[in-house]
Amino acid sequence: MSSSRRELANAIRALSMDAVQQANSGHPGAPMGMADIAQVLWADHMQHNPSNPDWANRDRFVLSNGHGSMLIYSLLHLTGYALPIEELRNFRQLHSKTPGHPEYGYAPGIETTTGPLGQGLSNAVGMAIAEKTLAAQFNQPNFDVVDHFTYCFLGDGCLMEGISHEVCSLAGTLGLGKLVAFWDDNGISIDGHVEGWFTDNTPARFEAYGWHVIADVDGHDSQAIADAIAAAKAETSKPTLICCKTIIGFGSPNKSGSHDSHGAPLGVEEIKAAREFLNWPYAPFEIPEDIYAGWDAKASGAAKEQAWNDKFTGYQQAHPALAAELTRRLAGDLPADFSEKADAFIQQSQDKAENVASRKASQNSIETFATLLPEVLGGSADLAGSNLTIWSGTKGISADDASGNYIYYGVREFGMSGIMNGIGLHGGFRPFGATFLMFMEYARNAVRMASLMGIPNIFVYTHDSIGQGEDGPTHQPIEQIANLRLTPNLATWRPCDGAETAVAWKSALERKDGPSALIFSRQGLPAQPRNAEQLANVAKGGYVLKECAGTPDVILMATGSEVGITVEAGEQLSAAGMAVRVVSMPSTSVFDKQDADYRESVLPKVVTKRVAVEAAHVDFWYKYVGLGGAVVGMSTFGESAPGAALLKYFGITTEAVVKAAKGLN
């Protein structure tokens, strides 16, 4: 006998309350409340193959309310993914595949790390943009080889976070018809009933964004849910919000509908009562065979993938060049000749020796690399003219034509960064997005999430110091560079001229295991002469730019716009009889990963007199100069004045570097 929909949904409820109870930690309420919605979606609509979680044309599923992680773990286990029951028993335990919040790369079928509320929704928007743009670039008549939906579960907390406004507004503008979001409207958050702090008219809000809104859906009525999903999929010009009225902790006789079921185990006695209420007479973590059979998606998933494979074979025959290019891009591979052509551009940049702002050098790099890599999908948070992110081949994407290579994000720094994460996770693109370095603060947590997940996105930040001038301290970064450098798995670059900028861009584009932050100046910078060995060593993050005879008396090190004045200081000190080595450190994070011998060759321990120079917070540099060294930099906020005047006022000058070096004992 086949199991009923409610019985299948109750398997999610049982596994969720059992796992949370065993861990003595977790959130049973959301999984129990959304189980009926999940059952209809995954049983009748999800296009996926548990035996191949990476199938390119699978539907994407994002649990934005990631605290309800046992919902997705239960779904993956029940439908046949390689997530055995032992992993559910080990929920929230060290090195399990079932951590407290879904973590990308831990369990198969987890599309993104969620937990910081609202960001899963932003990732889903990014995935939907990637699907629409990739389809516009590659699909041909009779060959819709890119054709899938992005589904997102979200809660009140996601909607309260400001990022939800940023990304849902843009999703409506771009007409993301294959994005379907399910709002778990249960009226409860951690502090209790949300009517005391969240009374928005959410359906009207989303209608104002240009979404298709399906309101007042009973989240425990399978037919109502099925009808809503069918209506959502039929609307192809707008994203859809399905407003599902649910009871948090559904099935718990005494704690459902209350924040008591939100973020704590139900307790042994309450779970016993819930089993009776749900007519679930099975032991903890026991799932009957007929329930497993009702959930099993391996055969149907394999058939769906095979049908797509057959279509793709026909696509390869009819459009071999497009098929090869799509295959390369989905694999994340660069063209075979990319490195050679990139190196030629780097050498050209060195030979040209232009004295330009590094933001302009960045634009030159984008012009070259975006031409070589059609997968580059650029963007800026309403600062393209200042970030210099537009190149000759730029074509913006829109609701009517998504075949372009550039996203006008508007003033949405956080949303942009979260969307980029979704695009990167989807595959087929190498996204970059730009803003002023100061406004990285708005996007900070999304940058951290990219680093945590190891997504090779590129975050471009210009106007990197007090040198930007008149906009004043609100726009002048001080502590932000150190913040980025201290982020694990983030490669942070602050190049000093065109050649270093080209190397930074190449390194970021070739990286596969994490994001890069590229930091550029507003003001013009002098080009530095280098020999072939020095140019090759730029990619190591730090190298000897100016050498002296014998062992140095002092090492001067600098990065970005301060390399020029540091070289000048070295020349003055050398003229005064000191043996001076000047080290350029475009990426301390990359330099720190070099082997010990190379790092010693650049910064030999025997040389204890060291000066670091950067128009940013001084504290970061003591790891390189030691407590006895000196740092020429900032320890206060800036001021509003022309950049040159500020650099002089705050002592970021050649004279200050010379004085610091001479003052070392």
Side-chain angles (χ1 to χ4, degrees), residues 64-103:
S64 189
N65 46 344
H67 54 272
S69 56
M70 271 309 302
L71 174 63
I72 193 168
Y73 298 148
S74 298
L75 287 165
L76 295 172
H77 170 72
L78 291 166
T79 55
Y81 285 77
L83 192 67
I85 195 70
E86 289 75 20
E87 292 292 347
L88 276 63
R89 290 179 180 274
N90 287 327
F91 178 56
R92 290 190 164 218
Q93 305 308 301
L94 183 63
H95 300 317
S96 76
K97 294 182 179 180
T98 51
H101 292 83
E103 299 280 356

Side-chain angles (χ1 to χ4, degrees), residues 129-216:
I129 290 174
E131 190 277 339
K132 182 169 184 171
T133 302
L134 205 63
Q137 292 179 356
F138 284 95
N139 285 355
Q140 297 295 312
N142 301 317
F143 292 106
D144 292 334
V145 291
V146 181
D147 181 20
H148 67 78
F149 284 84
T150 300
Y151 298 107
C152 180
F153 280 11
L154 57 100
D156 291 322
C158 296
L159 294 176
M160 284 187 262
E161 290 286 359
I163 191 174
S164 70
H165 165 70
E166 296 183 29
V167 302
C168 293
S169 169
L170 186 59
T173 298
L174 294 179
L176 302 180
K178 289 186 177 177
L179 173 63
V180 181
F182 297 79
W183 171 31
D184 181 25
D185 180 16
N186 60 38
I188 298 293
S189 65
I190 290 176
D191 283 351
H193 292 271
V194 300
E195 62 222 23
W197 48 88
F198 184 54
T199 58
D200 301 12
N201 186 335
T202 296
R205 168 186 166 187
F206 276 77
E207 287 172 354
Y209 292 151
W211 283 53
H212 171 217
V213 176
I214 304 174
D216 300 319

Side-chain angles (χ1 to χ4, degrees), residues 11-56:
I12 295 174
R13 295 184 170 101
L15 288 172
S16 297
M17 62 186 182
D18 288 343
V20 170
Q21 186 65 37
Q22 178 146 315
N24 197 29
S25 174
H27 299 75
M32 296 175 74
M34 298 193 80
D36 295 307
I37 307 167
Q39 191 279 321
V40 175
L41 175 64
W42 280 64
D44 296 348
H45 295 277
M46 277 285 288
Q47 176 175 275
H48 66 118
N49 182 5
S51 299
N52 182 14
D54 298 324
W55 171 30

Side-chain angles (χ1 to χ4, degrees), residues 252-270:
S252 171
N254 301 302
K255 295 186 177 182
S256 63
S258 163
H259 68 282
D260 290 339
S261 68
H262 181 281
L266 296 179
V268 174
E269 291 304 315
E270 185 64 15

Side-chain angles (χ1 to χ4, degrees), residues 178-365:
K178 289 186 177 177
L179 173 63
V180 181
F182 297 79
W183 171 31
D184 181 25
D185 180 16
N186 60 38
I188 298 293
S189 65
I190 290 176
D191 283 351
H193 292 271
V194 300
E195 62 222 23
W197 48 88
F198 184 54
T199 58
D200 301 12
N201 186 335
T202 296
R205 168 186 166 187
F206 276 77
E207 287 172 354
Y209 292 151
W211 283 53
H212 171 217
V213 176
I214 304 174
D216 300 319
V217 175
D218 184 343
H220 302 296
D221 181 336
S222 295
Q223 189 58 54
I225 297 164
D227 292 344
I229 296 173
K233 294 172 72 173
E235 172 54 75
T236 59
S237 64
K238 299 178 179 181
T240 295
L241 178 71
I242 302 177
C243 305
C244 300
K245 194 65 182 176
T246 66
I247 300 172
I248 191 171
F250 182 93
S252 171
N254 301 302
K255 295 186 177 182
S256 63
S258 163
H259 68 282
D260 290 339
S261 68
H262 181 281
L266 296 179
V268 174
E269 291 304 315
E270 185 64 15
I271 289 176
K272 180 180 178 181
R275 278 183 150 76
E276 294 176 359
F277 179 87
L278 296 170
N279 192 26
W280 189 265
Y282 311 108
F285 300 102
E286 179 185 346
I287 305 295
E289 287 303 318
D290 62 321
I291 299 292
Y292 273 127
W295 272 109
D296 190 1
K298 292 192 291 295
S300 61
K304 290 173 183 176
E305 182 176 358
Q306 186 58 54
W308 181 83
N309 288 339
D310 293 341
K311 177 183 288 189
F312 194 78
T313 297
Y315 180 72
Q316 289 176 308
Q317 295 168 350
H319 307 282
L322 281 175
E325 178 69 0
L326 179 58
T327 299
R328 177 188 71 78
R329 285 172 54 172
L330 289 174
D333 296 331
L334 298 177
D337 60 353
F338 173 76
S339 184
E340 179 183 351
K341 290 181 177 179
D343 287 342
F345 173 71
I346 291 168
Q347 185 63 58
Q348 176 186 343
S349 300
Q350 180 64 49
D351 295 341
K352 199 170 185 179
E354 284 187 299
N355 295 339
V356 297
S358 55
R359 63 172 175 161
K360 177 58 180 175
S362 171
Q363 186 180 45
N364 295 340
S365 295

